[in-house]
Structures are given as structure tokens and as C-alpha cells.
Amino acid sequence: MRHRIVLVGFGNVGREFARLLLENRSELTREFGLDASIVAILTARHGSVENPRGIDVRRALRLADAGVSLESCGRGISERSPEYIRRARADTVIEVTPLRIAPRQVALDHLIAALRSGKHVITANKGPVVYHYRQLRDLARLNHVGFRYEGTVMDGAPVFNLFQEALRGARLKSFEGILNSTTNLVLSEIEAGRTYADGVDAARRIGFAETDPSMDLDGWDATVKACLLCNVLMGGHVRPERVPRQGISSLAPEAVRDAVADGKRVKQLARGWREGRTVRASVSLEAIGPDHPLFSVNGTSSSLVVRTNMLKEFQIVERDPGLRQTAFAVYSDLIAIHEGRLSP
Amino acid sequence: MRHRIVLVGFGNVGREFARLLLENRSELTREFGLDASIVAILTARHGSVENPRGIDVRRALRLADAGVSLESCGRGISERSPEYIRRARADTVIEVTPLRIAPRQVALDHLIAALRSGKHVITANKGPVVYHYRQLRDLARLNHVGFRYEGTVMDGAPVFNLFQEALRGARLKSFEGILNSTTNLVLSEIEAGRTYADGVDAARRIGFAETDPSMDLDGWDATVKACLLCNVLMGGHVRPERVPRQGISSLAPEAVRDAVADGKRVKQLARGWREGRTVRASVSLEAIGPDHPLFSVNGTSSSLVVRTNMLKEFQIVERDPGLRQTAFAVYSDLIAIHEGRLSP
């Protein structure tokens, strides 16, 4: 039986996921018995189309890459996206629209519409999950559908899967990580003698720092990720607006060079910890020395160090990821849902 | 309903697992509905006892720590251990006897007896798994019972869980790791100016380098782990005896100091890779520089770098583990089996 997908958002991540599906179609069928078919693509800038027999993905990619409307790929969809999602005949809704920092946002409406109408949800969009994790999780349980979001933190590197499947029985006490690739790349570029603007350009060229680079450079992206880890893995109630946050947009390049002269590196560290029964988060710029476990995490690499009651200190590092890595998160979430592993 | 456990082996790891069960009894019941009860302990040196209503674990620990027989903890078991395992009324057999490098070994008989008589198997003993992985896996499937072995590589850090649950859909192309804690600790001690013997003593004091330190120092432990990763995660057929292997027992301390003078560190690197359709492994001593992802993995820490078709390079690091970490592997395998996740 076909697994019918509504893809909401067709930017860098959405398109890379579509490419991954195309390339791995036969493997997905052979190894996992998963016959995935995209039956609708909803976008803000290239129109929204559906084709119940499956959209010609190769054609959709060509059109989107050329910057033209998708309308020739199927029937146009004129209603608002949450309404369409509610009535769509589909198994899974994949949300990959850009991050917004606000409790109310259309991405949330997408997820709620999908879950209420009995569809699985996969999202790489942190916005709705950071504000409404509990509501979405409970809604998914109530409707016996999947809700997975591995792509929201560290791309395809397993973070939520790690805790909720591989580290069952361990309790997270605190974490510390480098979670924003754009920021880390710009810092590495300044260290190498280039300017802040050069660094931002480099991030843009490789497809990071996509829609709104200020989300990265002002520290919002790292802050939202820290809050997500606090809220999902530590049972916290942390809102990004209330977290102490340092982005690199106001950083003096000399601070980076002074650190290097000192044998250190300036890094943006996202932290979460417990204070009594409260979970707290922070995002700050700090000069760290070579003994720090995050010292050698450079360029677009990211890393998370966790301390649990069982493993003293456990670290994961994702080195030099590209768009493929984020798309893989969505892809592996899809396999998991197909196999009946509905939550991470 | 009680989950009845036969514990085979009551050395450092077996005892630490027993302590973990004692300490977390109420949490296990409350969070996972798991009422675990050790109904038999089989040992080579402290006798073997059973008590169908559950052995007084606190007492057994006191006796074993004092080096005396366990016989006052229950009824003595006189038959051979595989025979006892076959007839035991139990749900899960946990194998934590010491490593032996040989295709035929009593640990294998334990596992086969357990699986054939419909009992789940958890092992932290690499020996039987490295030689007979496919047979054991198939036997477990045939009998619809669990077969988990997370503690065999990197203690409690999720390695097999990572690939078989969290990284579903990714294919392992190659790996490189520091997998033997004793070796790495001795190397770090020599770097710090101490002797080889000092290093081995340090490893013994903290409970590593337990039964037979030559397994660690001659490179066997790392070699068996490399083979396990090749055979389980890459579909290989690699036997430890045929793998190029360098242990530190014949290493000249000057080599370590020369590397340090050069800004490098000597590490024992365990590798696995594909050559056409063949999977190969090696264990070698190499001087690596600060840019290498394993450079900063010191002391008893261990780490694994993997390259897959989906994530370019992904690394996990377990920092300063103790016995608790290995026991946690068995503990989390037990939770998994209780939850019906029968294989990693």
C-alpha cells in the first residue's frame, strides 16, 4: 500500500527530502516495504498542488529550482493550508516551513490539523514544537498517530531517538552543545582571518543561513533548540523569549582573535540544566580551551554533550553536515512511523 | 508479573548490575512496570544458587564482595550451567562471564540453552557474539525471544541501539574508534610520564583490566569489538584471529613520548571498512595529531567515529566511564526486552 505524503514547505530541506525519496525509492520498498508517494506540495511562494496518484517529484524539483510555480504538477489548491491538510487523503504530513518565534503560527495550525484528522506528523520545524510540545504529543497519542521531530536539533544526528529509544532508563541532568551551524561557521571563518560578512556569505553559499539569517546570527536558532531539548527531554517549560541569549551579530571580531592568541576559541554554547524542580536554559558566547569537549567542533559541525544519571558524560558530534543530513532526519522519521514507532 | 532473571557471572559487571537493580527497583516498577527479580546466580568461583522467590541480592553482594560462597543465598545448583539454564523457570538469562577468544566456549552454550528454551538473552560478553552472531540472532527470532548485547562495545553508550533504532535507513560504510579503556588509560599514563606498569595498576584499581589484563594489553579486546561492529552492523564475516592486531604490551614508551614531543598522541585505533563485498578490520597503534577526531579521547574514555551513506561523519564519545556504565547497558537492554523491543 502506498504511504501518501503531504509536504508542507518546499525550500532547501523539503527539496532535499524529495531528492532523497527519489534516489532511495527501490531501497525503501525492498528493505522496509515502504512505497512513499508525495500527493501534495504546499508552498508560500511557488503555489500549492495536489495529485492523488503521486506528484512527479522530478518535475516539481525542476520547477522549484527554476523559481517558477508548481501549478503544472497537479491540481491547484486554493483553500488555506490547514483546511487542505484536514481534508487531504494522506497518511503523513511533513512540515518543513521556516522557523518563526511566536506561540501562534500557521505551522502549528498545520500540525494540529494533521493530528486531529488522524494523520502522522513529521516536522523539522522547531517553532510549533518548542511552544506546544505537550499539546502536540498528547494530540498524537489521542489520535493514535505518529509525531516525530528528529530534524529539529542537529539535523539527521539522532538526538531525540537517542534518548527515547537508545538511552531508555537514563535521566538527563544537563547538557551543553554547539547547535547552530551558521554561527559556528562564521566564528571559524573569523578565526581564520576572514570578516564577519565573509562568514555569513560562506554559510549562505552552502545552503545554511537560509531564509532569514538573523534567526541564526541573533542566537534565536540555538536558543529554540536549547528550549526544545529542555522541554522534550527534561520535562521543562522553557520559552525562547525568556532565555538569556547571545548571538554573534554584535560580537567584536577582536574577541575571537584575542581568544585564538590565548590558545582558545570563542564558541556559542547552548546549555540546559536543572535548578531544583525547574529546568533552565542559556545561550552564550564563551572562550573555551583545548580541554573542553566542544573545542574541536568547528565549521558547520555541531555537537551535544549530555550528563545523565547513568552515563557520566556522553557526547555526539555531527561533522560537516549538509542539507542531506537534515533531509535524512525526515527520511528516518518516515521509516520509523512506517514501522509503527510512532514517537521518538 | 515478576520478570525472573538468571544471572550468569558475578564479577565486577554482574555485581554492579545487581546494585543498579537494587537502587532503581521502585523506578523500574513505577516508570516501566518492570518488577525484576534475580532467581539464580551462576558463578565459577563462588558457587551457583537459585531461589525461585528471588535471591536476596544485598546478601549475595555482601558474600561475593567478601570472597565467600553464595550458597547461603538459596538452594545450591549442582548440574552444569547450560543444563540448569535449559530447565530454569525464568524469563531472561544475563551472560556476564569473562571474554574468551575461541569459537567453542561455555558462554555460547549458555546463550544457546537460553534461546532454545524460550528465554530472552542479554549479554555483555563479546566472545559468543563475535563468532556466532548470525546463529544466535536467528535462534532468537525462531523462538520469538529477545537477544541484546549493547554492553559488548563502549559499555553503556548506545552503539547497536544507535544503528538499529536511531539510525534506521543509514548504511555504515566505515568506522574508526578507541574501544579499549585499559589500553587508552595506560597510553595516557605513559604520556603523563608514568610507567607502563603504573598504567596497568591504575586500570586495575578502578576495576578495568579485570580478569585477564592480557586481553586488553595484547589488543584482543579492541579486536573483538572491531569484529563485532563489522559482523553485526556491516554484515561482515570477520574473525578476531585473522585481524591485524597491535596491542600495547610490546610498545616502547619512547614511541609515546616522541609523539608527544611532536604534538601528537599514540592511540590504539580499531577500524572497519568495506573492500568490494568484503568487510575488513584492523587494530593498530598510531600517532595522531590534534585535528584527528579521536585525539582528545583520553584516559578510560572511548569513542567511535562512523561514516554512513547519510551522515557524513558521526561520532559518539563516552567520557570517563566506570563499571556503572557497563551495568547500565545490561539494565537498558532489560528495559528494552520488557517493552518488547527484542533486538537492537
Side-chain angles (χ1 to χ4, degrees), chain A residues 176 246 265-269 271 284-288:
Chain A
E176 183 173 46
Q246 275 189 299
R265 285 175 186 155
V266 172
K267 294 291 181 190
Q268 185 186 55
L269 301 184
R271 291 203 177 90
S284 56
L285 294 167
E286 291 174 37
I288 58 175

Side-chain angles (χ1 to χ4, degrees), chain B residues 23-270:
Chain B
E23 288 169 27
N24 291 279
R25 180 152 286 180
S26 66
E27 186 183 322
L28 274 178
T29 317
R30 193 179 62 242
E31 276 193 33
F32 302 101
L34 172 54
D35 175 14
S37 168
I38 297 178
V39 296
I41 301 177
L42 315 186
T43 79
R45 288 181 294 175
H46 300 103
S48 298
V49 291
E50 69 165 342
N51 182 343
R53 293 190 311 192
I55 285 177
D56 179 345
V57 173
R58 227 176 283 274
R59 181 189 179 90
L61 283 167
R62 248 192 336 261
L63 295 171
D65 287 344
V68 297
S69 164
L70 297 173
E71 62 191 8
S72 65
C73 287
R75 268 198 307 271
I77 297 168
S78 54
E79 65 214 293
R80 285 188 63 244
S81 46
E83 265 100 81
Y84 173 76
I85 288 169
R86 197 169 298 121
R87 75 156 176 86
R89 298 171 74 94
D91 303 291
T92 294
V93 171
I94 296 179
E95 226 297 338
V96 286
T97 64
L99 174 60
R100 282 198 59 214
I101 309 284
R104 296 197 55 176
Q105 46 180 297
V106 67
L108 175 68
D109 301 337
H110 295 155
L111 303 196
I112 290 178
L115 295 172
R116 285 221 175 111
S117 59
K119 298 174 184 79
H120 306 295
V121 160
I122 296 169
T123 179
N125 183 348
K126 295 170 279 294
V129 188
V130 78
Y131 288 103
H132 306 282
Y133 168 65
R134 279 176 193 72
Q135 182 196 351
L136 294 167
R137 180 198 62 189
D138 293 345
L139 208 48
R141 285 186 187 157
L142 190 72
N143 290 283
H144 307 289
V145 290
F147 171 45
R148 300 188 72 105
Y149 38 83
E150 191 55 72
T152 54
V153 179
M154 282 184 76
D155 314 302
V159 173
F160 298 107
N161 277 325
L162 193 72
F163 265 88
Q164 293 172 356
E165 295 183 355
L167 286 179
R168 290 285 279 168
R171 190 177 299 119
L172 185 54
K173 296 198 300 192
S174 66
F175 67 83
E176 182 173 45
I178 291 178
L179 300 179
N180 182 259
S181 293
T182 301
T183 299
N184 206 43
L185 178 62
V186 173
L187 287 170
S188 293
E189 293 283 302
I190 297 175
E191 259 169 33
R194 285 180 278 278
T195 67
Y196 180 84
D198 288 343
V200 177
D201 281 349
R204 265 218 197 81
R205 267 199 308 281
I206 55 176
F208 290 92
E210 187 188 358
T211 327
D212 178 2
S214 71
M215 285 291 177
D216 295 326
L217 305 173
D218 292 342
W220 281 114
D221 180 80
T223 303
V224 173
K225 285 170 176 167
C227 293
L228 256 177
L229 295 173
C230 288
N231 295 350
V232 176
L233 297 180
M234 299 174 81
H237 293 82
V238 189
R239 285 175 78 132
E241 303 89 325
R242 299 200 189 140
V243 169
R245 170 179 51 84
Q246 274 189 299
I248 53 169
S249 49
S250 57
L251 178 75
E254 301 76 58
V256 176
R257 285 176 204 134
D258 289 353
V260 172
D262 239 16
K264 295 184 170 183
R265 286 177 185 154
V266 172
K267 295 289 180 191
Q268 186 188 52
L269 302 184

Side-chain angles (χ1 to χ4, degrees), chain A residues 20 24 27 30-32 154-158 161-162 164-171 265 290-291 293 296 305 309-322 324-325 328 331-332 335-336 339 341, chain B residues 20 24 27 30-32 154-158 161-162 164-171 265 290-291 293 296 305 309-322 324-325 328 331-332 335-336 339 341:
Chain A
L20 204 49
N24 291 278
E27 185 183 323
R30 192 180 63 242
E31 276 195 34
F32 302 100
M154 283 184 77
D155 314 302
N161 277 326
L162 192 71
Q164 294 173 354
E165 295 180 358
L167 286 178
R168 290 284 280 169
R171 191 177 300 118
R265 285 175 186 155
D291 290 335
S296 59
V305 178
N309 62 335
M310 295 289 178
L311 299 175
K312 277 181 219 161
E313 200 172 284
F314 180 64
Q315 178 175 10
I316 58 179
V317 187
E318 182 181 33
R319 215 158 269 122
D320 296 325
R324 175 67 26 138
Q325 276 65 44
F328 171 65
Y331 179 86
S332 70
I335 293 174
E339 294 185 324
R341 293 178 291 129
Chain B
L20 203 50
N24 291 279
E27 186 183 322
R30 193 179 62 242
E31 276 193 33
F32 302 101
M154 282 184 76
D155 314 302
N161 277 325
L162 193 72
Q164 293 172 356
E165 295 183 355
L167 286 179
R168 290 285 279 168
R171 190 177 299 119
R265 286 177 185 154
D291 290 337
S296 60
V305 179
N309 62 335
M310 294 289 180
L311 298 175
K312 276 180 223 166
E313 200 173 282
F314 181 63
Q315 179 175 10
I316 58 179
V317 187
E318 184 181 32
R319 215 159 267 120
D320 296 323
R324 175 65 29 132
Q325 276 63 48
F328 171 65
Y331 178 87
S332 69
I335 293 175
E339 293 184 326
R341 292 179 291 130

Side-chain angles (χ1 to χ4, degrees), chain A residues 194-217:
Chain A
R194 286 180 277 278
T195 68
Y196 179 86
D198 287 344
V200 176
D201 281 349
R204 266 219 196 79
R205 268 198 307 280
I206 56 177
F208 291 92
E210 187 188 359
T211 328
D212 178 1
S214 72
M215 285 291 176
D216 295 327
L217 305 173

Side-chain angles (χ1 to χ4, degrees), chain A residues 42-77:
Chain A
L42 315 186
T43 80
R45 288 182 293 176
H46 300 105
S48 298
V49 290
E50 68 166 344
N51 181 344
R53 295 190 308 193
I55 285 176
D56 179 345
V57 173
R58 227 176 281 273
R59 182 189 178 88
L61 282 168
R62 246 189 342 258
L63 294 171
D65 287 344
V68 297
S69 165
L70 297 174
E71 62 192 7
S72 66
C73 286
R75 267 198 309 273
I77 297 168

Side-chain angles (χ1 to χ4, degrees), chain A residues 6-19:
Chain A
V6 173
L7 188 56
V8 190
F10 206 49
N12 282 344
V13 177
R15 284 180 230 174
E16 188 66 16
F17 168 71
R19 273 180 222 114

